[in-house]
Amino acid sequence: MTRPDFTVPSVAPERLPDLLRAMPKAELHIHIEGSLEPELIFALAGRNGVALPYASVESLRSAYAFTDLQSFLDIYYAGASVLLHEQDFYDMARAYFERAAADNVLRAELFFDPQTHTARGVSMQTVIHGLHRACADAKADFGIDAELILCFLRHLSEEDAFATLEAALPLRDKFIGVGLDSSELGHPPEKFARVFARCRELGLRRVAHAGEEGPPAYIWSALDVLQVERIDHGVQAIHDAELMARLARERVPLTVCPLSNQKLCVFPDLAEHNLGALLDAGLAATVNSDDPAYFGGYMNDNFLQTFAATGLTAQHAYQLGRNAFEGSFASAEAKRGYMAQLEAVFRRFS
Ligand code: ADE
Ligand code: ZN
């Protein structure tokens, strides 16, 4: 997308937090099941008669002390077990959209994990209809453009992924693309080469988690074998200079999730996060919340805490905002509208 250059005005450091809150945003990496707050998990468990292995909201929340991705995924899948009916999926997404609207999110591309639900006997229709209705209402009630991306669980087989794709195809008009998530190490992208080739033939957009905990080689194969259009996380690219150069040259969007990386010990401390290094190397990095109910923050929390910890500037904020809108799967016309809104807010803060 070409657009006239915009000079980012200088913003007084004390005004930066307000600018970060007010900035229009696109969220490109949110697992909707990861937005289930403990209070809603307990409410849905009560409504659906599902027994939970935790006595209270507090004891569930106190279990959120993760050491790596797998330690989180075990609790995340247990939390999703309370989702049974279409209204449950609607309520979960609705709660997310209320938070997103408060954080000035204009566009959200939501990941969902159908295999987590179909394995428990919940139908694909139940999942997608509930989420899709919430997306339609998000536009009507909050002005948020929302789309769905179906994720395959990479710890399961290629056969299971193909069966999931088949089950979803009658609802093809209700999701825009596919992704790849769950346990990364030991499950390289190429395991799903044929599934993604089929998705490409079907005209689906393609993204994949790569380089969260896994090596740069997984980012290379997500790009070259799966032919994805964005990399989810991708922070391990920093260890491969040739890959960094390619990502910068091709402006491949990276959907970075700083609070997630902190909570899953990808970086020892938020202050050591490499978001600034990725941006300064010319990569199209963005900020996202991943699983906000588990990692202690939605979009504005991610922006505010990361900027406070790493000393990023208004220039970085603008670049992050622009990267997200440009890296989204919105139409060119919608992107122009988002960018005009982003620049209007920056002008207001000059
Ligand atoms: N599923 C939900 N959150 C995830 C993450 N951060 N990485 C991989 N799979 C996920
Ligand atoms: Zn993720």
Side-chain angles (χ1 to χ4, degrees):
M1 201 176 69
T2 56
R3 44 174 301 97
D5 275 338
F6 170 78
T7 306
V8 179
S10 59
V11 175
E14 66 274 15
R15 299 193 74 206
L16 189 53
D18 281 342
L19 171 63
L20 296 172
R21 286 187 197 95
M23 259 174 72
K25 300 172 186 78
E27 172 141 61
L28 307 180
H29 186 158
I30 158 80
H31 301 263
I32 198 60
E33 294 90 347
S35 74
L36 258 184
E37 292 286 343
E39 289 78 5
L40 187 52
I41 291 179
F42 270 82
L44 293 175
R47 190 158 102 184
N48 292 335
V50 175
L52 290 170
Y54 299 93
S56 65
V57 163
E58 294 69 36
S59 68
L60 174 56
R61 200 170 255 127
S62 68
Y64 293 0
F66 312 116
T67 51
D68 58 11
L69 175 57
Q70 193 59 50
S71 66
F72 154 69
L73 289 171
D74 294 341
I75 287 191
Y76 163 85
Y77 293 127
S81 70
V82 300
L83 297 160
L84 292 184
H85 307 294
E86 186 183 315
Q87 190 63 36
D88 305 337
F89 290 90
Y90 178 93
D91 291 346
M92 170 174 66
R94 178 75 181 183
Y96 164 72
F97 287 126
E98 284 172 5
R99 305 256 195 171
D103 286 358
N104 294 306
V105 171
L106 301 185
R107 180 170 180 90
E109 299 183 6
L110 274 52
F111 296 151
F112 67 107
D113 288 340
Q115 287 153 298
T116 309
H117 313 299
T118 53
R120 296 179 291 109
V122 177
S123 76
M124 186 67 82
Q125 284 77 2
T126 296
V127 177
I128 294 184
H129 282 152
L131 296 178
H132 189 260
R133 187 159 54 85
C135 290
D137 286 354
K139 181 67 178 168
D141 297 338
F142 305 119
I144 297 176
D145 294 322
E147 304 277 7
L148 296 172
I149 295 179
L150 180 159
C151 286
F152 301 112
L153 298 182
R154 68 201 304 158
H155 67 275
L156 300 178
S157 66
E158 177 197 48
E159 187 188 1
D160 208 315
F162 266 122
T164 300
L165 179 60
E166 277 310 307
L169 283 183
L171 302 159
R172 166 74 182 83
D173 61 321
K174 296 189 169 54
F175 60 100
I176 58 167
V178 296
L180 185 65
D181 64 3
S182 192
S183 319
E184 186 180 14
L185 288 168
H187 302 284
E190 49 271 31
K191 178 176 168 184
F192 297 94
R194 293 188 295 189
V195 180
F196 272 66
R198 178 77 187 118
C199 291
R200 200 162 63 244
E201 284 168 8
L202 289 164
L204 288 159
R205 310 309 298 253
R206 296 165 314 281
V207 300
H209 283 55
E212 177 182 14
E213 289 184 338
Y218 285 17
I219 302 176
W220 283 105
S221 60
L223 294 171
D224 291 334
V225 181
L226 302 188
Q227 297 191 29
V228 299
E229 299 162 87
R230 296 197 298 246
I231 295 288
D232 296 316
H233 293 292
V235 291
Q236 302 301 336
I238 204 91
H239 302 296
D240 181 334
E242 200 185 327
L243 178 59
M244 288 286 282
R246 175 180 178 182
L247 293 169
R249 191 173 60 247
E250 296 181 7
R251 297 288 295 159
V252 177
L254 298 192
T255 63
V256 176
C257 307
L259 289 180
S260 164
N261 293 155
Q262 179 195 21
K263 293 289 165 16
L264 301 188
C265 308
V266 172
F267 295 92
D269 193 274
L270 199 53
E272 290 173 50
H273 199 285
N274 66 11
L275 178 63
L278 298 172
L279 288 170
D280 292 346
L283 276 69
T286 64
V287 164
N288 307 271
S289 71
D290 206 6
D291 300 284
Y294 292 90
F295 300 147
Y298 289 76
M299 282 295 265
N300 282 1
D301 304 304
N302 271 275
F303 272 94
L304 288 162
Q305 292 187 40
T306 307
F307 274 64
T310 62
L312 297 183
T313 64
Q315 177 69 48
H316 290 115
Y318 173 78
Q319 197 59 56
L320 287 164
R322 181 170 174 168
N323 290 346
F325 288 128
E326 290 183 350
S328 76
F329 293 138
S331 67
E333 185 191 355
K335 290 181 186 185
R336 278 192 293 276
Y338 300 142
M339 284 304 301
Q341 293 188 63
L342 179 71
E343 292 175 2
V345 168
F346 271 79
R347 270 191 215 99
R348 224 173 65 213
F349 274 83
S350 64

